[in-house]
Amino acid sequence: MKLSLEWMTSYLKDCTLPAPEALALKLTMATAEVEGVEHLERHHKNVVIGKVLSVTPHAESRPDHPLSIVEADIGGGRTIKTICGAPNVKSGLTTAIALTGAELSGGQKVVKEERHGLMCEAMLCSLKELGWGDFHYGVIELPADLKPGTPLSELVPDDDYLIEFDNKSLTHRADLWGHYGFARELAAILHGQLSPLDTYDLKQHDDLPALDITIDDDPEGGRGYSGVRLENLSTAPSPAIIQARLAAVGSRPINILVDLTNYLLWELAQPMHSFDGRKIDRVRVAPFGHEGTFMTLDDEERKMIKSDLMIFNGEEPVAIAGVMGGHDSQVFDDTTSLFLESANFYPARVRRTALRLALRTDSSLRFEKNQPICNMELALKRYVKLLMDGGQKVKVASKMTTIIPRPKEPAKITLEPGYIKNKVGMDISEETINSILKSLEFQVEVGEGGTTIVTAPQHRTDIAIAQDLVEEVARVYGYDNITPAMPKVEQTPLKHLIEHDRLQIVRRLMASAHNFNEVHAYSWFDDEWLKELKAAPKETLKIANPCAGHLARLRTSLIPGLLAFTNMNRHHTDTLRLFEAGKVYFPKGEKDWQEHDNLGAVFFRLTKNGSLSDLFAEAKGVLKSVMENGARGEEYELVPAEKSSEWPWIDPAICLAVKGKDGKLYGHIGHLAQSQLAPFGKGAEVVWFELSLAAMSGPIYPEVHFKAPANVPGSWLDFSVLFPAGKPYGEFSEIIKKFENPLTKGWQFVSSYTGKGLPEGMVSYSIRYWLGRADRTISGEEITGFHQALLKHLEEHKLTLR
Amino acid sequence: MKLAELKEQFLHDLAEAKSAEAREELRTKYLGRKQGLITNFQKSVDMRAMSVEARKEFGKLFNQLKELAENAFAGKTAGEAAGDIRPEIDLTMPVSAMAPGSLHPVSLVQLELEQLFTDMGFMVDSGYEVETEFNNFDGPNIPKDHPAREAQDTFWLTNGLLLRTHTTANQVRVMRRFGAPLRAIFPGRCFRAENLDASHENTFYQLEGLMIDKNITIANLIAVMKTLLSGVFHKEVTVRLRPGFFPFTEPGFELDIECLICGGSGCPTCKRSGWVELLPCGLIHPNVLKNGLIDPNEYSGFAFGVGLTRLAMMKYGISDIRYLNGGDIRVLSQFPAML
C-alpha cells in the first residue's frame, strides 16, 4: 500500500521531519516495513486557477472526438482562448489552466502555438497532466469559489513522496491502514505532537429523529452501525488538496460527497458509504438469505450466496456489507441528500465474500484487518466537518444513530513491576516506558503493589496482553538500542532423537560411501505414472485440494518417485544411482495416520555396461552396508518376498524381502522384470531396494565386542566346487554353511565360473576357508584332515570338487 | 675395477651421451637392475676382506656415486632412475571409480545447520509432515478465521488432517514431549498450495528453532541469532531487528542481515537497501507456551524460522526453485557427497 508523506505529516506539530528516505527507515525500524519511497512531482509551474467563460464547438469536432474553443478567465482581468478536447469542459467550470512556460507531466511544454487554426497560449489540464495521479478522463474540476489567477502551488504542495508499505507488516494493525495512524506513529517516534482531527459536533442534533437501523443478531455479522441523514447537498467538486491527496494514493476524485467517504477511508481507515438519501428509509444488516444476484455500483451483476452479509433498505439489498455499495442507491449527479453509513463488520465475513466475488476493495481490505468500532462516529463527524469546509451548506436531518450489539471495553493490562525491562533484557527506566506508552495514546495509571495499569487506546484492536506492550515499548525505544546478551542457562547433555540421527547417517552413507545422488520427490504419487508402472497402491492418505486430480494420494513408497526420476535422467546418462531418504505416509483408522522415514534406492544401467546379476549383487552389497551402519548389529536375512497386489515389482520371482530374525520386515530388494522395464527404453536394467528406517532399532552408536587377534599365523584354503547350474547359489551356500570344523575361522565366496572345461550343466563356485587355532600354529596333518572332512561333507551332498 | 675408476668411466660416458636414447642406454648400463655396473658393483667387491673403517668408507663413496648417477638421470622418471619401474602402469590414466554421489543441496544446508545448532545445545526433531489442524494452526495461536487456514493456502487431507504449512507445527508437539527448559530445532519439509514458478514451490524446507528457559529476553534472542548467523556465513554479520507480525510470537521481529554481496552499500540482491530479510523471529506468544503445557509465567522463550530451501538457493546461487524437486542428475551431481 502506498501512502502520501505530505498527507501523513500534515497532522504533525512541533516536529522536525527527517528527509523522506530517513523517515521511511525510521518507520521500517519501529512500525512497518517500507518497501520503497517514490517522489511525486506535481507540475504547478505557471499553472493557475481559471474559470471557463465560454465553450464553442470547433468545426473539426466529432462526437467521438470532441473539440472545443474555450475562453477562460485567468484572473487579473486576463482571459485566454484555447482548444480543449476534454469531454467535461463546460461554461462556468473552474479548472486548472497551464500558461506558456508551464511544463506538464510527461515533459509536455506549453508554448504559444497554433492548434486547429487557433493561436493558443494555454491549456486546460487533467490530473495526469498536473502530475497528481494517473487519471486522464477529462480536465480537472475544482470548487467554484476559487479565485481565477490563483497559482495552483498555493492550493496543493508541489512535491510529495509516496511511501510503499509491505501489506504483510500491517495485517495486525487496523489503524495503520490510514494516514492518521501513521501520523500517530511518527509523533511517537519523532517526539512530536499529533493534531486532533477537526470534527463537527453531531451530538448537538440528538434531538432530531433517530434513524431506523437494525442489525441481525449474529456474532459474526454486523458489529456496529452508525448513520446520519444529511440534506441540502450538491455533487460539487472537492477542494483541490482533497483531490490531490486522493489522486496520489490512487483513488479517483469524483465529487465531494463520494470523495469524502474515500478520504475518510484513507485518513482514518474507516470505510464509509454514501447512499443517495432518496433511496434509503431504514437500514438492516443481515445475510443475503438465498442465492441470487446483486448489481454493485460498478454495474456488475454479482452472484450472491445465502451467508453474504448485506445492507438492506427494508427488504431490498442496497450494499454488500463492507465490500461495495449497490448500483441503484449510489450517489448520482442530482443527489442532494445522503444517508451516510459508517459501520463495522466481522472481519472474516467480509473477507470471505470479497474473496469469493474476487472483489477485494479498499473497503473490504480494511474491514478484514479488524477496524475499531470507535471510528464509526468519529468518521461521520469528520465527514460533516470536511463537507462544510468544502463549501457545502449542510443540513443535518437526523440524529447520529449508532447501534452496537456487543460493545467491548478497551484492553486493560496490569504490568508487574519491572515486567517490560525484564522481557526486553535492558534496563529501561519506568519513566521512559511510561512516556513511550503515553506517546502512543495508552493510558498509564499506577496500580496496587507497584504495578502499572495500562489501557489501550480504542483504535488499537491488536492490543490484548502484556507482551503486546513489550513490543510497543521496545520498538519505539529502538531495537537497535538493545545490547545483545547471551542467555545464561544450565548446560545439560544434548538429547538425540535416534531416528533422526539414523536418517542422517544413512543419507551420508548412500552419497559418500556408495556414490548415490540424493533426490527429493514430491510427497504424493502421480497416478498417471503409477498407471504406466502398472502399480496400484491401495490405502493412502488423500489431499482434498491437490494441485491436480492425479496428484492427490500421499506416497506409501519412495520407489515410484525414484523410477520417475530414473526415467527422466536416462536420456543423458547410461548409469544412475539415485536415492531418497524421506517420509512415507499411511492412514490409520478414520482420522489418524502414521508416517516414517524410508530409504529408497534405484540402480539403473544399460545392459551393455554389465550383467543384471552383477548389478543385483552390487545392490545387495549396498543394502548390507545400510543395514550394518544404519541398523547397527540387527541381524537380517533375505528371503523370497510375498507377492504384492500393489507393487508389480514385489514378487518372489524378482524380489527378496529383508527380514529380521524375529520376522520384522525392513523392506525389499529386487529388480524390474522385462515387462516392467518398458517405460525405461531398450536395454535398461533397474534394481531397487527400499527399507523402513523406522523398522531399524539398533543403537545409533555401534556396539563392538572386541576380540584380540590370534598371534599365531593362520592359513587359507581355496576350493572350487561343481554345482548344478540350474539351482540357485543360495542352496549351495546352505550346504557349505552346514559344514562345521574346529579349524574353521570363516569362509567366503570368491568367484563363480561357467564355460570350458566343466561338465555339462555345471557351474563352478570357488570358496575360501580361513583356518587356524587361537593358541598354536596348525600343522600340515591338521590341514589335510580339514581337506578330507570337507570332501566328505560335499560328497554327502553329492557334490564334487572341480 | 676400483670405485674411483668406475666413477671416472661413468662421468666420461655421461659427457658423451647426447641423445635421450644414448642416455637411456647409459642408464641401463650403470643403473640397470640386473647388469648395471653401479648397481652390481658391490658384488665384485669382497666386503669381508675390508676393515670396519674401510667398509664404512666404501659404503659412503658407493652411495655418493649411486646418488650422482641417479641424479644425472633424474630428467627421466624418478622410478626409472631408482631402477624400480613398472612400465605397464600409466600414471596418467583416468580414475576408475564410478562418478561420485551427491547430497541434495537442501540436505547439505540442513546438515550444516544441524551441526551448528547441536553444537549450541539444540536438539533436532524434524516432527511430522502430515499434521493435525491443532498442531499446525491452533497450537501456534493462529486465529480460527485466519486466511492461512483456507484451501488456497493449505493442502487439506480428506480426513481433516493437513500437510503442515510450516515447521512451526512442531512447536507445541516438542513442548509437550520434552517440557521446559528446551532448546530444539525442527528442520523439514513443508507444503503450501501454491502455483509453481521460479520462486514458488508447493513443497519446500524450513528450519524452525526455539529456546525456552527462565527469563529469556529480546536481548538474548539478538545475541543467539547473531552468533548463529556468524556460524552460517562463516563471518561476523551485522544484523538488525525490526517489527514483524506472526500470531505465534509477541513481540515478533524480522531479522535482516547486512547484505553480504555489497556490504550494506546497496546492490540488486538487497534491492538497494543494504539489508536482506533473512529470518522471522520473536518471543514465543504466551498462548503457544500454554498450548505446549508450559507455564508462561514461569518460562519465556524465543523462536525463529529460516527457509532452508531459500538459504540453499542463496548459498549455491540456484536461480530457479523448481530445480530442487526436479531430480535432474545434471543439477544434483554438482553438489558434494560429504559435508
Side-chain angles (χ1 to χ4, degrees):
Chain A
M1 179 178 62
K2 288 182 186 175
L3 295 184
S4 152
L5 183 65
E6 177 273 316
W7 192 350
M8 71 172 74
T9 54
S10 67
Y11 306 103
L12 296 179
K13 279 189 304 198
D14 308 329
C15 174
T16 318
L17 291 180
E21 292 282 350
L23 183 137
L25 181 62
K26 280 186 184 289
L27 285 174
T28 290
M29 295 306 288
T31 305
E33 186 182 358
V34 172
E35 290 192 315
V37 177
E38 188 185 309
H39 184 195
L40 180 83
E41 191 191 353
R42 296 196 178 99
H43 297 264
H44 290 170
K45 193 181 133 200
N46 288 7
V47 182
V48 298
I49 300 298
K51 196 177 271 292
V52 176
L53 299 172
S54 68
V55 178
T56 323
H58 190 278
E60 292 168 27
S61 186
R62 294 192 309 272
D64 60 327
H65 196 280
L67 209 57
S68 317
I69 299 165
V70 175
E71 193 178 2
D73 174 5
I74 55 162
R78 292 171 59 207
T79 57
I80 53 102
K81 248 188 180 180
T82 189
I83 294 284
C84 182
N88 65 334
V89 65
K90 57 185 181 282
S91 176
L93 175 72
T94 303
T95 186
I97 299 184
L99 306 175
T100 44
E103 289 174 23
L104 298 175
S105 173
Q108 193 179 353
K109 289 196 170 91
V110 179
V111 289
K112 189 173 174 176
E113 64 181 348
E114 199 188 285
R115 275 155 55 199
H116 299 278
L118 184 78
M119 190 51 77
C120 301
E121 333 180 31
M123 195 180 128
L124 277 60
C125 303
S126 70
L127 277 87
K128 187 177 180 176
E129 283 156 345
L130 293 171
W132 287 16
D134 202 13
F135 301 103
H136 198 54
Y137 49 85
V139 297
I140 185 168
E141 298 185 25
L142 290 166
D145 58 358
L146 290 173
K147 201 168 155 260
T150 310
L152 208 54
S153 287
E154 286 180 15
L155 304 171
V156 172
D158 294 346
D159 287 286
D160 193 5
Y161 291 84
L162 294 176
I163 303 191
E164 182 165 17
F165 293 96
D166 177 8
N167 287 2
K168 282 205 302 292
S169 70
L170 304 174
T171 50
H172 60 308
R173 290 286 301 270
D175 59 318
L176 295 184
W177 288 78
H179 288 81
Y180 196 67
F182 272 104
R184 201 183 273 120
E185 288 289 316
L186 285 173
I189 298 166
L190 302 172
H191 311 292
Q193 293 295 315
L194 180 73
S195 311
L197 293 175
D198 281 343
T199 56
Y200 175 78
D201 179 20
L202 281 169
K203 293 275 180 198
Q204 61 185 288
H205 301 289
D206 273 3
D207 53 335
L208 292 174
L211 296 168
D212 182 356
I213 299 170
T214 52
I215 300 177
D216 269 24
D217 186 48
D218 180 354
E220 299 193 358
R223 301 203 301 186
Y225 198 105
S226 282
V228 69
R229 190 180 282 280
L230 305 174
E231 288 174 359
N232 198 29
L233 309 172
S234 74
T235 51
S238 296
I241 184 70
I242 286 185
Q243 293 196 43
R245 285 177 178 175
L246 286 177
V249 296
S251 179
R252 174 184 162 180
I254 295 165
N255 60 53
I256 190 162
L257 304 184
V258 175
D259 291 353
L260 288 183
T261 60
N262 290 330
Y263 194 79
L264 263 301
L265 176 144
W266 286 100
E267 181 178 62
L268 264 184
Q270 172 65 29
M272 303 174 84
H273 187 64
S274 48
F275 293 105
D276 187 317
R278 294 170 290 189
K279 307 286 170 58
I280 307 291
D281 307 316
R282 54 208 155 95
V283 151
R284 184 174 149 230
V285 183
F288 196 74
H290 60 280
E291 297 204 348
T293 58
F294 176 72
M295 191 185 273
T296 43
L297 54 78
D298 55 359
D299 297 346
E300 294 280 337
E301 281 277 325
R302 307 284 174 179
K303 280 207 175 94
M304 308 308 294
I305 59 171
K306 237 167 114 176
S307 59
D308 289 325
L309 199 64
M310 303 295 291
I311 311 298
F312 289 89
N313 175 40
E315 294 304 310
E316 172 207 5
V318 288
I320 306 173
V323 181
M324 192 178 268
H327 177 269
D328 297 343
S329 58
Q330 65 179 309
V331 170
F332 292 95
D333 284 349
D334 61 347
T335 296
T336 57
S337 68
L338 287 185
F339 183 103
L340 192 60
E341 165 191 304
S342 182
N344 197 296
F345 310 101
Y346 189 75
R349 189 73 170 268
V350 174
R351 189 188 71 237
R352 275 184 227 124
T353 295
L355 263 181
R356 202 197 69 251
L357 295 173
L359 187 62
R360 287 187 100 181
T361 56
D362 287 330
S363 166
S364 77
L365 213 56
R366 279 162 182 77
F367 279 126
E368 283 177 20
K369 308 302 186 282
N370 192 14
Q371 290 301 326
I373 300 284
C374 67
N375 278 349
M376 294 192 316
E377 287 195 348
L378 178 63
L380 289 182
K381 293 190 274 185
R382 176 77 174 148
Y383 182 99
V384 176
K385 171 76 172 95
L386 292 173
L387 207 51
M388 290 171 168
D389 289 352
Q392 299 268 321
K393 306 277 177 268
V394 187
K395 183 185 169 222
V396 177
S398 81
K399 180 184 174 184
M400 174 170 68
T401 311
T402 298
I403 307 285
I404 302 170
R406 293 174 176 77
K408 253 171 81 179
E409 285 300 307
K412 234 183 175 73
I413 298 158
T414 305
L415 291 176
E416 295 299 321
Y419 179 83
I420 287 187
K421 68 176 187 185
N422 291 344
K423 284 283 181 255
V424 176
M426 279 288 281
D427 195 11
I428 310 175
S429 74
E430 195 94 335
E431 199 189 339
T432 309
I433 291 171
N434 290 349
S435 102
I436 290 174
L437 288 172
K438 283 176 189 161
S439 74
L440 291 166
E441 299 180 18
F442 286 80
Q443 274 179 39
V444 182
E445 294 159 90
V446 177
E448 280 173 25
T451 59
T452 309
I453 298 168
V454 181
T455 311
Q458 297 202 20
H459 60 263
R460 289 297 300 273
T461 51
D462 59 313
I463 302 288
I465 55 173
Q467 280 80 355
D468 291 325
L469 301 179
V470 175
E471 170 162 38
E472 294 306 300
V473 171
R475 68 187 179 87
V476 175
Y477 179 76
Y479 291 139
D480 278 352
N481 296 325
I482 299 172
T483 314
M486 266 300 189
K488 292 186 176 60
V489 294
E490 216 169 281
Q491 186 68 34
T492 48
L494 180 62
K495 200 175 186 65
H496 277 268
L497 296 187
I498 200 166
E499 57 269 38
H500 186 76
D501 288 355
R502 202 186 306 281
L503 170 75
Q504 298 298 41
I505 285 175
V506 165
R507 205 174 242 163
R508 291 179 205 239
L509 183 78
M510 291 298 283
S512 62
H514 302 298
N515 303 313
F516 276 75
N517 297 109
E518 187 186 12
V519 295
H520 284 170
Y522 288 107
S523 291
W524 38 83
F525 285 133
D526 177 343
D527 283 348
E528 287 172 8
W529 175 238
L530 291 182
K531 208 184 278 175
E532 227 175 303
L533 294 171
K534 299 184 177 67
K538 280 187 217 127
E539 291 281 289
T540 66
L541 292 166
K542 231 179 142 181
I543 303 174
N545 54 329
C547 317
H550 61 286
L551 304 175
R553 296 196 292 163
L554 294 197
R555 65 188 182 184
T556 54
S557 162
L558 303 179
I559 299 304
L562 284 163
L563 291 177
F565 285 150
T566 301
N567 189 39
M568 198 192 80
N569 278 303
R570 71 184 167 93
H571 301 291
H572 35 257
T573 184
D574 56 0
T575 156
L576 264 178
R577 293 176 158 222
L578 300 180
F579 85 97
E580 178 166 18
K583 291 272 170 77
V584 287
Y585 322 83
F586 302 90
K588 198 171 115 189
E590 290 264 298
K591 297 254 167 244
D592 205 0
W593 85 105
Q594 195 261 318
E595 66 178 67
H596 63 255
D597 286 308
N598 265 13
L599 168 70
V602 161
F603 303 66
F604 161 88
R605 70 188 181 198
L606 294 173
T607 39
K608 64 180 180 211
N609 295 319
S611 75
L612 177 61
S613 58
D614 287 348
L615 193 62
F616 195 77
E618 216 173 286
K620 270 167 118 179
V622 176
L623 179 108
K624 184 165 183 259
S625 164
V626 170
M627 290 303 289
E628 277 171 7
N629 294 294
R632 297 284 192 202
E634 282 182 79
E635 286 186 39
Y636 72 96
E637 55 188 2
L638 298 175
V639 297
E642 277 174 47
K643 191 170 171 58
S644 157
S645 57
E646 297 184 290
W647 308 110
W649 45 83
I650 297 186
D651 182 308
I654 51 172
C655 177
L656 298 168
V658 186
K659 277 199 169 163
K661 289 290 181 217
D662 51 358
K664 171 168 72 177
L665 183 68
Y666 290 102
H668 293 92
I669 179 168
H671 66 89
L672 297 197
Q674 275 310 313
S675 62
Q676 294 160 1
L677 285 166
F680 301 93
K682 217 176 144 209
E685 291 290 11
V686 172
V687 174
W688 63 276
F689 70 75
E690 181 167 30
L691 296 170
S692 159
L693 298 185
M696 299 180 188
S697 56
I700 208 71
Y701 295 104
E703 286 166 9
V704 174
H705 303 286
F706 173 74
K707 278 182 241 128
N711 53 6
V712 290
S715 61
W716 76 74
L717 282 181
D718 283 358
F719 299 90
S720 290
V721 185
L722 292 173
F723 194 72
K727 290 188 178 177
Y729 168 83
E731 279 185 28
F732 170 75
S733 68
E734 283 306 311
I735 294 169
I736 299 302
K737 276 183 206 160
K738 280 183 193 138
F739 174 63
E740 282 172 12
N741 189 284
L743 285 188
T744 310
K745 288 168 69 186
W747 71 278
Q748 70 185 86
F749 172 76
V750 178
S751 62
S752 71
Y753 173 75
T754 49
K756 271 188 201 159
L758 294 186
E760 185 72 17
M762 296 302 259
V763 57
S764 165
Y765 291 127
S766 294
I767 55 171
R768 177 168 298 163
Y769 272 96
W770 296 87
L771 307 176
R773 283 189 180 276
D775 51 347
R776 60 182 166 79
T777 312
I778 50 175
S779 67
E781 290 85 65
E782 279 177 303
I783 293 176
T784 315
F786 175 87
H787 199 125
Q788 284 165 350
L790 179 64
L791 285 185
K792 188 158 171 268
H793 176 77
L794 292 174
E795 210 170 291
E796 279 166 15
H797 289 87
K798 302 190 169 56
L799 296 180
T800 58
L801 290 182
R802 183 179 157 197
Chain B
M1 198 196 289
K2 296 265 174 57
L3 196 56
E5 289 168 26
L6 178 61
K7 183 177 175 183
E8 208 166 299
Q9 185 189 330
F10 169 71
L11 291 173
H12 175 261
D13 285 357
L14 188 67
E16 293 292 301
K18 299 283 193 240
S19 69
E21 290 81 11
R23 287 170 69 86
E24 177 56 25
E25 207 173 284
L26 206 61
R27 199 192 57 75
T28 315
K29 178 178 169 190
Y30 285 94
L31 291 174
R33 218 143 43 115
K34 289 196 178 125
Q35 307 288 325
L37 292 176
I38 295 176
T39 322
N40 293 289
F41 184 73
Q42 271 168 300
K43 289 180 191 159
S44 66
V45 180
D46 186 358
M47 303 284 273
R48 281 168 303 183
M50 291 187 201
S51 71
V52 175
E53 295 297 306
R55 223 182 292 170
K56 257 190 187 163
E57 180 60 19
F58 173 81
K60 197 176 131 196
L61 290 173
F62 175 77
N63 283 335
Q64 276 173 359
L65 174 61
K66 196 169 171 218
E67 202 180 329
L68 173 81
E70 279 168 358
N71 286 342
F73 296 118
K76 306 295 281 182
T77 67
E80 284 167 343
D84 187 23
I85 46 164
R86 299 285 298 276
E88 72 275 17
I89 297 178
D90 178 353
L91 302 179
T92 65
M93 285 296 281
V95 289
S96 63
M98 66 180 72
S102 59
L103 285 170
H104 192 281
V106 171
S107 294
L108 286 167
V109 171
Q110 183 182 334
L111 285 164
E112 187 177 339
L113 289 186
E114 284 181 10
Q115 183 70 59
L116 201 67
F117 279 103
T118 48
D119 287 352
M120 291 187 69
F122 286 72
M123 64 178 293
V124 185
D125 178 355
S126 55
Y128 290 79
E129 291 175 10
V130 173
E131 266 297 3
T132 59
E133 181 172 9
F134 176 82
N135 283 325
N136 197 75
F137 292 124
D138 303 75
N141 196 36
I142 294 171
K144 279 269 175 257
D145 286 314
H146 199 277
R149 295 195 189 219
E150 282 161 20
Q152 66 266 20
D153 289 319
T154 303
F155 283 122
W156 290 91
L157 303 186
T158 49
N159 62 0
L161 295 167
L162 52 85
L163 292 175
R164 70 172 169 194
T165 60
H166 49 188
T167 39
T168 313
N170 207 30
Q171 280 200 11
V172 164
R173 268 186 191 279
V174 168
M175 288 181 204
R176 290 188 178 192
R177 187 168 168 197
F178 301 106
L182 180 64
R183 263 173 283 172
I185 56 163
F186 344 122
R189 187 178 272 209
C190 304
F191 309 84
R192 300 241 173 112
E194 295 221 47
N195 290 326
L196 263 59
D197 65 33
S199 51
H200 292 92
E201 245 291 358
N202 53 38
T203 303
F204 55 95
Y205 284 72
Q206 286 187 339
L207 184 148
E208 180 115 347
L210 53 74
M211 174 167 187
I212 299 170
D213 217 304
K214 291 185 173 159
N215 306 318
I216 293 292
T217 66
I218 299 175
N220 293 156
L221 178 150
I222 303 175
V224 174
M225 289 300 107
K226 250 181 101 77
T227 309
L228 289 170
L229 291 171
S230 300
V232 170
F233 294 104
H234 308 292
K235 62 174 165 180
E236 191 72 18
V237 292
T238 309
V239 306
R240 74 173 190 190
L241 217 56
R242 55 185 172 81
F245 174 70
F246 318 100
F248 31 91
T249 58
E250 191 57 56
F253 315 108
E254 287 286 357
L255 187 143
D256 300 338
I257 58 164
E258 197 168 71
C259 180
L260 297 169
I261 310 285
C262 64
S265 59
C267 68
T269 304
C270 59
K271 293 183 205 151
R272 315 237 162 256
S273 72
W275 297 92
V276 175
E277 186 173 313
L278 193 71
L279 54 93
C281 52
L283 296 189
I284 302 171
H285 197 287
N287 289 353
V288 182
L289 290 172
K290 273 184 226 159
N291 290 336
L293 309 180
I294 291 173
D295 181 1
N297 295 317
E298 192 181 354
Y299 288 98
S300 54
F302 62 76
F304 53 91
V306 53
L308 283 181
T309 300
R310 179 161 168 260
L311 206 58
M313 291 175 74
M314 269 170 73
K315 202 172 162 95
Y316 302 118
I318 300 168
S319 52
D320 190 323
I321 199 168
R322 288 167 293 193
Y323 283 131
L324 295 171
N325 297 332
D328 189 328
I329 197 75
R330 296 166 301 176
V331 170
L332 299 168
S333 60
Q334 297 178 36
F335 296 91
M338 276 283 267
L339 191 65

